Amino acid sequence: MDPFVRPATPDDLDAVAALLHGKMDPKIPAERWRRLMSYGWLADKPDLGRVVDWNGRICGFVGMVLSDRSIDGRTERIVDVSSWYLEKELRGRGLGAGLMQSVLADPTRTYCTMTPSPLRMHIFRGVGFEVLDDRRVTWTRSGAAPALAVQREVAAIRDAVGPVERRLLDDHAGLGVAWVLASHDGAHCLFGFSVVRKGEGVETWDLLYTGDRGFLARHGQALADSLLPAAAPAALVADGRFVDGASPGGVAEPLGTPRLYRSPRLAPHQIDHLYNELQLLELKLG
């Protein structure tokens, strides 16, 4: 039988994890690859992605990490398109394109990819993806005394935020998100970060979520002064769409590879970096 594209099922989980670990990126353990099809925040998963099936052997995969997000009072289904891989011997037959076309079949969904390969940019653009973001803003410590009150205990943050943000905390429990509730003159803002070391050991606070883009623009420098260590190289980094207005102290620069999305209803600033492969695979945000 010729290879063909079909929906992934729970029975494919082990084979997909073995394929991605063995042939796409062996540095990521198979158990971590399994998370792309077994994440906990959506119990009823109508899609797990697409596979290429060749006589019962899984030879290709595109992951679909789904989330239902409350945005402007309505529920939006967002799909993180992840881990597009096809075995070399099957390339050039249209199966790779078939995988992607099948993934994008529902026009009501928002699709995004936060870590697109530069080599595949033209493919994504060819199926309707647009630039989600192509710049970022970086703050380092200014040396000023911290001007914000920050809470980093998740239990205390959970008691202080509303039900929508409380769900963010609950859904990402155990997935390495560093949550911060910042306050200034009675105004509060929730932030979620991935804290990693980049380059020559620079402690980098990559912004995954902000509850108020204006708050970040006004207080980004104060937030960096409150969170970044004083005795080691460190930076707070946010994609440009998270910063609403001028950002005193922040330095804007282009992203090496733009992030991409396709959506019938959502604007770029409504799409964050939660509920996707970044948390599930423990990836660094480029």
Side-chain angles (χ1 to χ4, degrees):
M1 181 183 296
D2 290 336
F4 63 97
V5 174
R6 64 167 173 80
T9 73
D11 291 339
D12 298 318
L13 195 154
D14 290 338
V16 166
L19 173 73
L20 299 178
H21 171 65
K23 298 193 174 183
M24 185 174 185
D25 190 344
K27 295 188 298 294
I28 299 177
E31 184 57 38
R32 202 183 303 166
W33 283 117
R34 290 170 59 93
R35 297 178 187 173
L36 292 176
M37 298 171 65
S38 60
Y39 52 91
W41 56 69
L42 197 64
D44 179 17
K45 301 178 182 64
D47 274 305
L48 296 174
R50 299 293 184 270
V51 297
V52 172
D53 187 322
W54 192 10
N55 293 322
R57 184 167 70 90
I58 302 304
C59 302
F61 176 71
V62 175
M64 299 172 67
V65 180
L66 275 62
S67 59
D68 287 338
R69 305 293 301 275
S70 178
I71 299 174
D72 290 343
R74 65 182 187 273
T75 299
E76 294 284 349
R77 175 153 287 175
I78 299 178
V79 181
D80 177 52
V81 180
S82 170
S83 309
W84 183 12
Y85 182 80
L86 181 65
E87 290 189 356
K88 291 181 180 179
E89 63 185 300
L90 295 180
R91 295 174 190 174
R93 304 189 189 185
L95 290 165
L99 280 168
M100 187 58 63
Q101 290 166 359
S102 182
V103 163
L104 302 174
D106 188 338
T108 68
R109 295 174 174 177
T110 290
Y111 298 90
C112 57
T113 177
M114 303 305 177
T115 59
S117 163
L119 297 176
R120 291 176 171 169
M121 290 291 293
H122 70 286
I123 300 176
F124 280 107
R125 298 302 296 270
V127 292
F129 278 72
E130 302 177 70
V131 172
L132 175 65
D133 223 323
D134 58 6
R135 67 185 182 96
R136 59 187 172 193
V137 181
T138 300
W139 294 266
T140 56
R141 284 183 61 92
S142 69
L148 294 179
V150 296
Q151 174 59 258
R152 295 177 58 183
E153 292 292 333
V154 172
I157 294 173
R158 195 178 184 283
D159 289 340
V161 299
V164 171
E165 292 189 323
R166 196 174 300 136
R167 182 183 173 191
L168 302 183
L169 273 66
D170 293 346
D171 285 345
H172 290 81
L175 290 177
V177 179
W179 296 102
V180 175
L181 185 67
S183 305
H184 184 267
D185 286 344
H188 308 280
C189 184
L190 178 65
F191 297 95
F193 293 96
S194 170
V195 184
V196 297
R197 294 198 177 275
K198 295 183 180 179
E200 298 182 359
V202 178
E203 181 176 299
T204 305
W205 289 61
D206 278 321
L207 186 67
L208 304 176
Y209 170 85
T210 176
D212 185 338
R213 297 181 302 129
F215 188 103
L216 178 60
R218 294 189 301 274
H219 303 297
Q221 184 60 66
L223 187 62
D225 290 334
S226 299
L227 295 177
L228 301 181
L236 189 155
V237 182
D239 280 13
R241 69 186 185 281
F242 294 142
V243 186
D244 185 13
S247 51
V251 177
E253 59 182 352
L255 284 169
T257 303
R259 313 194 203 289
L260 303 176
Y261 82 117
R262 195 179 92 170
S263 178
R265 284 188 292 269
L266 297 184
H269 73 270
Q270 295 174 303
I271 301 171
D272 54 46
H273 292 312
L274 295 177
Y275 294 93
N276 62 44
E277 64 174 4
L278 296 171
Q279 294 85 55
L280 299 176
L281 298 181
E282 300 176 24
L283 300 179
K284 296 180 181 180
L285 192 60

